[in-house]
Amino acid sequence: LLSDTDVLAARELVGRRVSREPLQYILGTQEFCGLELDVNPAVFIPRPETELLVESVAQLISVKRQATIVDVCTGSGCLAVAIAWLRPYARVFAIDLSNASLDVARQNAARHAVGERITWLEGDLLGPLGGQQLEGRIDVIVSNPPYIAEPDWETLQPEVRLFEPRGALVAGPQGTEMHERLLDEAGQYLSPGGVLIMEIGAGQAHEVRRIVDQISGYRFHQLVYDAAGLERVAIVERAGT
């Protein structure tokens, strides 16, 4: 039999879910690439589709390659931690604008014993890379940036709209503003032949490709589709050899 205390605790948890709070925040964890990660309302909850970014990096970077990889908008650290876990010889940098998010990311890295191989930087997109002497030396920049258009915010389900951090979701009026900024900033840091891997929203592939075509020094490499057949990952290569 449950004690009165247990019953009250269970009712409280059920009440939180009835109010549409995401189960991941209630439990405090979310699985990603086979790794259990801590999550709280300071970070966006990792989605299965985002695992495609990790798979794309793994396809481009061999296990023993000593590559330099940067995760922008790291949030919970899911990408940085999973990549460091799968590619133990890689040098990983993880950037986020939110100090609270970086705290969660560090915790997840420590949990999976990869924290010593990740450099944490706080700031806006690639700005914190200044002074790191990484110009033209980065092999991969990977990012799941905000890509929701502002007019679409009110149409999102309550679990997202009422509980997840808006700054991790909404990019601007078009939804592709962060992708354009990443393309503008990444050119000086990517090595010749280096790649920028970005998650995109459904219907954004055409606009992202148009932006790529307008910025010199890039060529569109590949578009990756998710299990639902929706465009999900855009891979762009820095021109040069």
Side-chain angles (χ1 to χ4, degrees), residues 147 152 200-205 226 230-232:
Y147 57 75
D152 295 334
I200 62 175
Q204 292 182 340
D226 63 21
L230 301 174
E231 61 237 22
R232 186 59 61 185

Side-chain angles (χ1 to χ4, degrees), residues 78-219:
C78 61
L79 292 176
V81 171
I83 290 168
W85 176 265
L86 290 171
R87 294 295 180 263
Y89 293 92
R91 181 188 184 194
V92 180
F93 291 80
I95 305 171
D96 202 279
L97 185 61
S98 165
N99 184 264
S101 293
L102 288 173
D103 285 342
V104 177
R106 290 189 187 97
Q107 184 174 328
N108 284 319
R111 180 174 186 170
H112 297 288
V114 296
E116 295 300 319
R117 293 193 292 105
I118 302 175
T119 300
W120 309 98
L121 300 172
E122 181 180 348
D124 188 22
L125 293 186
L126 297 179
L129 293 181
Q132 297 291 326
Q133 298 182 336
L134 291 172
E135 288 79 2
R137 299 175 62 184
I138 296 174
D139 299 291
V140 176
I141 296 174
V142 61
S143 182
N144 179 17
Y147 57 75
I148 301 295
E150 287 177 354
D152 295 334
W153 174 251
E154 293 301 326
T155 69
L156 299 178
Q157 64 188 57
E159 282 85 348
V160 177
R161 180 169 41 84
L162 299 179
F163 293 95
E164 296 198 73
R166 191 179 191 276
L169 291 158
V170 177
Q174 303 302 317
T176 54
E177 286 83 357
M178 291 298 182
H179 300 95
E180 185 167 4
R181 287 186 58 199
L182 280 169
L183 284 160
D184 281 335
E185 296 179 18
Q188 66 174 311
Y189 292 106
L190 286 172
S191 62
V195 296
L196 172 60
I197 304 175
M198 302 178 290
E199 183 166 332
I200 62 175
Q204 292 182 340
H206 178 77
E207 176 62 15
V208 170
R209 193 155 195 165
R210 185 191 68 79
I211 295 170
V212 172
D213 290 341
Q214 288 185 337
I215 301 175
S216 62
Y218 289 110
R219 49 176 169 258

Side-chain angles (χ1 to χ4, degrees), residues 22-116:
L23 182 63
Q24 293 89 340
Y25 288 158
I26 296 172
L27 299 177
T29 63
Q30 167 65 17
E31 185 271 338
F32 184 81
C33 288
L35 302 173
E36 195 77 8
L37 300 177
D38 295 327
V39 293
N40 64 38
V43 299
F44 176 71
I45 298 167
R47 267 53 168 188
E49 295 82 4
T50 303
E51 294 183 358
L52 290 172
L53 294 169
V54 179
E55 294 173 10
S56 297
V57 173
Q59 289 172 3
L60 292 166
I61 304 298
S62 61
V63 174
K64 293 189 176 181
R65 182 176 170 186
Q66 295 179 337
T68 300
I69 301 171
V70 176
D71 170 26
V72 189
C73 306
T74 193
S76 66
C78 61
L79 292 176
V81 171
I83 290 168
W85 176 265
L86 290 171
R87 294 295 180 263
Y89 293 92
R91 181 188 184 194
V92 180
F93 291 80
I95 305 171
D96 202 279
L97 185 61
S98 165
N99 184 264
S101 293
L102 288 173
D103 285 342
V104 177
R106 290 189 187 97
Q107 184 174 328
N108 284 319
R111 180 174 186 170
H112 297 288
V114 296
E116 295 300 319

